[in-house]
Structure formats: structure tokens, C-alpha cells
Amino acid sequence: LGKGQNMLVIGPDGTGGRGLALGAVANQVRIARERANANGKEGVRCVYALTSSDPSERAEVLRTLEEAGVKDDVVIVSALGSTSEDDGNSDELRSAEAVAVAASACAVAESFTLSSGLDSFVVVDDIDRHKALWDWTTRLLIDVYGEEAVVEADRQGGASSEMRGYYSGLIQRAGKYNARNAGGSVTLVMLASVPGAKEGRGDGQGGEEGVLTAEDFEGASQKVQDRIAVLVNRNVPLTPTNLRKIGIPVPSKSESESARTLALQHADDLISMSDGQIWLDADLLARGDRMPPLDPQRSITRVGIGADTESRADAPAVRGLTGGLR
């Protein structure tokens, strides 16, 4: 993770994403202290955004930072939650507050960077509420304009430019500033959850993967059916992994499977907008193979963009590394 990058930490609940993020914050604070003691220079400033309004989660984060001895060196921006349990819009209010918490944390980090030229490290734990707010506003638009006008393209595997713009308002606040803007950086890590593996139909996200048939796509658009026919003719297995690689939505036979498919598609959308992702795998956690349970096949970081020019990834190191890859 380079200065000015943004990174997703993504995986099912319980796979240790929060612990990984808190460990990174504690490590940055210790390095900053060592740097200050060695040469008197200020190190990275850390900001932790907790979007959950659950008091127990807030206490857990504070306790972890205190036990690590770094709580006083971390700016913590936390949601408070709705004060009224009877408020019919409490869920939407909590989601809106979560979005405001993430934006506020980035603003605090930017103030360190722009005023003093410092490097800032922001953790947003987590961005699941951003999706909840997006879904709520989408339902309002459907009531006005109709389902086909609002979400039909998404259901057929199309990209939503509106949703990308919505998330870009957060993701693109990470960056390395030029000398005219004090020369610091804001590095951003965002935690996001995905559903765990289910039994039965495979999904490519852990567990055994199933193979679909052309009949499973009878309700899809003609364009999707034509693409499926090409795959069948070429003897390409219709696994969820293969389908996602070429942008074909995976059909589901139940509401829960449909929700899971949309959640994984949403995760893919987030991944496409970020500079990389750390993918935590529940199967690796269960086996105890690796702690944290990082899946190297699904984890990636993108570096080297604009190293020599403003618009081309042609740094000599990147050219040397990737020249023989196809």
C-alpha cells in the first residue's frame, strides 16, 4: 500500500478485517513515534472512522487501540446513532450518518496534509452503510421513475455510472499532493463485507463451485443468452467464476441467492474502483492456514501509475516486471 493509494479490505464477517486495520493503525503510530524520536520529524497521522452506531463495537475499537498504547495518537470519528428507537427512518438515518462519518474522517486527514504537508492514513470501518443508503435512495427513485429506468441495467450486468460517482466521492479523496499543496498524502483503507459461502449452488467465493446450464439463463436478456450460447459452443464451463470474469450476472433461484449474487456483484464494482484489495477468506480462517486469512489469488495492489508521466503507467520498474507477462 503506497502513500496516496486507496485499498479495500474485503471478506465475510468474522474474518478479521477490523483487527487487520487496527493493527495497521497501531503499527503506523509506532513508526511515527520512532521517527519523531530519531530526527524530530512528524510521522503519519492516523484517523479511524467507525461508522457503526453499536456502542459495543465502539468500545471494542477503543479498547484495542488503548491496549496497543496508541489511542491518544489516533483521531477517532464515530457514529452516535439515532436517539429515537421509534423513528421509522432510523436505519436510513444511521446510514446517512455513516456516510458523514467517513467524509469527516477524510476531511480531518486532509487538514493534516494540506496545512502541514503530513502523510495521513485513514481507515473507514466500514462502508457497508454506504450501500444501504444507496439502496434506500434507489428505492425512492424507483417509486418515481419505475424499476426499468433505474435498475434494469444493473440486473443485466451493466455498470452504474451514478453508483460509481457516489463511491468515488469517498474513494478518490485518497491521493498524493503536489508541492503546491504542501506535498503530503492521504492514504485510505476501507473495510467492506461480503456474504459467506452458501451450500448448494457455487459462487466462486469459497466452498465448492457449481456448474450452471443454458436453461438457467432462460429469463435473462437476449444479449446474455447469446453470450451463453457462445460459451456452450466453445465448451467453456458455466461456473460463476467464469461468468463474472466476462461480466455475465449469475442467475439465482431464491431471494437469498439473488441478494448474495447482487452483493458479490457490488463487491466487484467496488474492486474495479479501488487501487487494490486485500481479500480475507473464511475457508483459510477455518483451516488456520494463514493469519490474517489473506487470499493471495484474489488480493491485488496496483502501483506505478503516472510514475514517469501524468497519464501513463510506464515506470521503468513496472515495465521490467511486467514485460514478459501476458
Side-chain angles (χ1 to χ4, degrees):
L1 179 63
K3 291 181 180 179
Q5 276 191 286
N6 61 75
M7 178 74 73
L8 284 168
V9 176
I10 190 165
D13 290 337
T15 50
R18 174 174 294 165
L20 180 64
L22 288 170
V25 168
N27 191 51
Q28 288 297 321
V29 170
R30 295 189 190 103
I31 293 173
R33 288 174 179 171
E34 292 172 1
R35 181 180 180 185
N37 293 333
N39 53 29
K41 294 184 178 180
E42 293 187 80
V44 174
R45 292 295 182 89
C46 295
V47 184
Y48 197 95
L50 181 63
T51 63
S52 172
S53 56
D54 187 341
S56 63
E57 293 192 36
R58 190 181 309 119
E60 176 192 348
V61 169
L62 292 173
R63 182 175 60 253
T64 301
L65 293 175
E66 187 167 14
E67 289 175 352
V70 299
K71 189 180 77 168
D72 293 340
D73 296 284
V74 180
V75 178
I76 302 170
V77 185
S78 174
L80 296 177
S82 174
T83 58
S84 173
E85 294 295 331
D86 298 327
D87 191 343
N89 293 323
S90 60
D91 191 62
E92 289 79 12
L93 291 174
R94 284 194 293 270
S95 299
E97 185 180 25
V99 173
V101 165
S104 300
C106 289
V108 171
E110 288 167 354
S111 69
F112 290 137
T113 299
L114 293 173
S115 64
S116 306
L118 298 174
D119 295 311
S120 300
F121 178 53
V122 183
V123 173
V124 178
D125 176 11
D126 52 45
I127 60 172
D128 293 344
R129 281 283 177 184
H130 285 66
K131 179 63 164 57
L133 182 63
W134 174 262
D135 289 343
W136 178 64
T137 56
T138 298
R139 288 194 295 271
L140 295 179
L141 291 173
I142 289 174
D143 291 341
V144 176
Y145 299 106
E147 187 172 335
E148 290 188 3
V150 179
V151 298
E152 186 64 23
D154 292 341
R155 289 186 171 178
Q156 298 300 332
S160 169
S161 59
E162 291 86 359
M163 189 188 73
R164 297 179 73 87
Y166 168 71
Y167 279 99
S168 292
L170 172 64
I171 293 174
Q172 295 189 9
R173 295 185 76 158
K176 181 75 173 69
Y177 290 81
N178 57 25
R180 192 166 59 249
N181 289 294
S185 66
V186 174
T187 304
L188 179 62
V189 167
M190 300 160 289
L191 276 61
S193 63
V194 293
K198 302 289 185 183
E199 295 182 0
R201 295 166 71 90
D203 52 29
Q205 301 299 331
E208 198 169 322
E209 188 169 35
V211 178
L212 305 172
T213 65
E215 287 74 21
D216 291 318
F217 296 85
E218 288 180 352
S221 67
Q222 188 60 47
K223 180 180 178 181
V224 168
Q225 293 189 44
D226 291 343
R227 297 178 70 187
I228 292 297
V230 171
L231 295 176
V232 171
N233 291 335
R234 294 180 178 178
N235 295 319
V236 176
L238 299 180
T239 64
T241 296
N242 289 339
L243 295 173
R244 276 195 302 274
K245 285 180 179 178
I246 56 178
I248 297 178
V250 180
S252 298
K253 293 185 177 179
S254 69
E255 289 186 7
S256 61
E257 288 175 352
S258 178
R260 175 170 165 74
T261 299
L262 290 174
L264 292 172
Q265 179 181 320
H266 174 65
D268 286 341
D269 291 337
L270 290 175
I271 286 170
S272 72
M273 288 182 267
S274 69
D275 291 332
Q277 73 277 354
I278 296 172
W279 194 289
L280 304 176
D281 186 86
D283 291 339
L284 292 176
L285 178 65
R287 294 197 302 264
D289 290 349
R290 183 181 290 111
M291 291 301 294
L294 185 150
D295 186 341
Q297 292 184 328
R298 283 183 277 174
S299 301
I300 188 173
T301 182
R302 304 172 184 91
V303 296
I305 302 300
D308 292 341
T309 68
E310 293 183 355
S311 61
R312 292 166 52 193
D314 55 359
V318 175
R319 285 202 304 268
L321 177 66
T322 61
L325 300 180
R326 293 292 182 269

